[in-house]
């Protein structure tokens, strides 16, 4: 926890508001989307979501806002998580330090930022939409998201320590992945073949999960197929992370 706090301070060292920039940057992105869909193109102002036999009409900005908050954490965890070992090489080459801890405290520093953004989002949702017992599901989705992307970094960070090409590839494809994830649209309303394919996107699981908890008032276990697919992916990512980390960790100091 101390290393995670130090990581945030170090990242924004020299800035007047320090770690506050971790909130300002995503807040500006959200403002741009609010302006675009609430002021600029208001004819796209609502999103229709089927809830059982009923159709729920949501303000598009509220719909996207709830999707963007997990996406910011997901995007940072994938891109920065792949760079964790390279960007903290001093812990690997100069001191006797457990390398796996690097990914842990880096992910914790990102979850600190996510908690602040989630708190601000929750206030907005509470004021403009309301609160319910379904909101408690965030206590499931948030830890699951934290561990999923921590385990993913156990694979990507050691491999990127060996190959800068992989790191660049991950950075390059993230903008494309954004549009393959239901941040700005409802993936549950896609045509049948695409809808089934999207169930295999774990990022989509979390974005839909936040919306289920805060907007749709649906429990995660109501989507049994989606949950089972995610559970299998979670186990696979964990096992791959353990395998790749143990396979590469002894060679990392020499490579760096």
């Amino acid at each position: 926890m101390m290393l995670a706090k130090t990581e945030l301070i170090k990242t924004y060292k020299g800035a007047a508001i320090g770690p506050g920039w971790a909130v300002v940057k995503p807040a500006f992105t959200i403002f741009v989307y609010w302006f675009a869909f609430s002021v600029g193109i208001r004819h796209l102002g609502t999103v229709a979501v089927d809830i059982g036999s009923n159709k729920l009409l949501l303000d598009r900005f509220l719909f996207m806002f709830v999707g963007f908050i997990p996406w910011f954490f997901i995007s940072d965890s994938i891109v920065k998580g792949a760079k964790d070992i390279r960007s903290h090489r001093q812990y690997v080459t100069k001191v006797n330090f457990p390398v796996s801890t690097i990914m842990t405290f880096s992910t914790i520093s990102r979850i600190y930022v996510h908690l602040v953004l989630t708190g601000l989002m929750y206030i907005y949702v509470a004021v403009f939409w309301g609160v319910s017992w379904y909101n408690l599901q965030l206590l499931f989705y948030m830890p699951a998201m934290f561990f999923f992307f921590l385990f993913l970094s156990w694979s990507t960070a050691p491999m990127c320590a060996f190959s800068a090409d992989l790191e660049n590839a991950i950075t390059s494809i993230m903008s494309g992945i954004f549009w393959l994830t239901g941040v700005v649209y409802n993936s549950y309303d896609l045509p049948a073949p695409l809808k089934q394919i999207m169930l295999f996107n774990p990022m989509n699981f979390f974005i839909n999960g936040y919306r289920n908890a805060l907007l749709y008032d649906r429990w995660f276990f109501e989507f049994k197929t989606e949950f089972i697919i995610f559970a299998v992916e979670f186990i696979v990512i964990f096992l791959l992370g353990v395998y790749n980390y143990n396979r590469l960790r002894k060679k990392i100091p020499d490579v760096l």
Side-chain angles (χ1 to χ4, degrees):
M1 303 296 280
M2 291 172 62
L3 286 166
K5 180 181 176 182
T6 304
E7 175 75 2
L8 277 175
I9 295 171
K10 184 185 75 173
T11 301
Y12 299 97
K13 185 179 180 181
I17 62 173
W21 282 110
V23 176
V24 172
K25 290 161 68 177
F28 178 74
T29 301
I30 290 170
F31 167 77
V32 170
Y33 276 88
W34 169 82
F35 185 84
F37 288 97
S38 297
V39 180
I41 43 179
R42 282 173 289 182
H43 63 283
L44 296 177
T46 58
V47 177
V49 180
D50 290 322
I51 306 293
S53 58
N54 302 318
K55 189 174 283 292
L56 185 67
L57 284 178
L58 290 168
D59 175 74
R60 184 170 291 275
F61 172 71
L62 177 63
F63 173 84
M64 291 195 304
F65 189 16
V66 175
F68 264 112
I69 297 305
W71 169 255
F72 288 136
F73 176 81
I74 290 168
S75 177
D76 274 356
S77 294
I78 293 174
V79 175
K80 295 180 180 178
K83 302 176 181 178
D84 276 344
I85 292 178
R86 277 185 174 270
S87 58
H88 298 89
R89 65 179 65 210
Q90 69 274 18
Y91 291 118
V92 182
T93 59
K94 296 182 180 179
V95 294
N96 186 16
F97 192 84
V99 177
S100 63
T101 309
I102 295 173
M103 284 77 84
T104 304
F105 74 71
S106 295
T107 308
I108 291 174
S109 71
R110 290 188 280 271
I111 206 71
Y112 282 161
V113 176
H114 181 67
L115 286 170
V116 174
L117 291 173
T118 301
L120 295 174
M121 174 194 65
Y122 191 76
I123 293 170
Y124 186 92
V125 172
V127 171
F128 291 97
W129 187 253
V131 298
S132 72
W133 289 106
Y134 294 92
N135 302 163
L136 292 174
Q137 292 179 99
L138 290 179
L139 300 177
F140 162 72
Y141 285 111
M142 199 177 296
M145 188 166 64
F146 170 85
F147 284 108
F148 184 89
F149 291 101
L150 171 62
F151 299 154
L152 180 63
S153 69
W154 286 357
S155 284
T156 58
M159 288 192 292
C160 287
F162 282 81
S163 172
D165 290 328
L166 178 60
E167 181 183 311
N168 292 329
I170 290 172
T171 304
S172 300
I173 65 173
M174 283 308 297
S175 58
I177 289 177
F178 171 82
W179 296 105
L180 295 175
T181 305
V183 178
V184 297
Y185 58 86
N186 180 17
S187 64
Y188 290 142
D189 284 345
L190 292 174
L194 289 175
K195 180 179 178 180
Q196 273 71 48
I197 292 171
M198 290 292 279
L199 295 179
F200 290 88
N201 183 348
M203 293 174 276
N204 213 46
F205 174 81
F206 294 116
I207 290 167
N208 283 334
Y210 272 54
R211 288 177 179 149
N212 285 330
L214 296 172
L215 302 177
Y216 304 161
D217 287 349
R218 296 189 289 197
W219 297 107
F220 67 90
F221 47 77
E222 291 182 37
F223 300 87
K224 293 181 181 178
T225 302
E226 186 177 34
F227 179 72
I228 291 170
I229 291 172
F230 169 75
V232 172
E233 290 174 335
F234 188 89
I235 294 169
V236 170
I237 288 294
F238 169 72
L239 294 176
L240 279 175
V242 171
Y243 171 74
N244 280 316
Y245 173 73
N246 286 328
R247 179 172 61 94
L248 300 173
R249 65 186 177 90
K250 292 182 180 179
K251 302 175 183 178
I252 292 172
D254 295 330
V255 172
L256 294 179

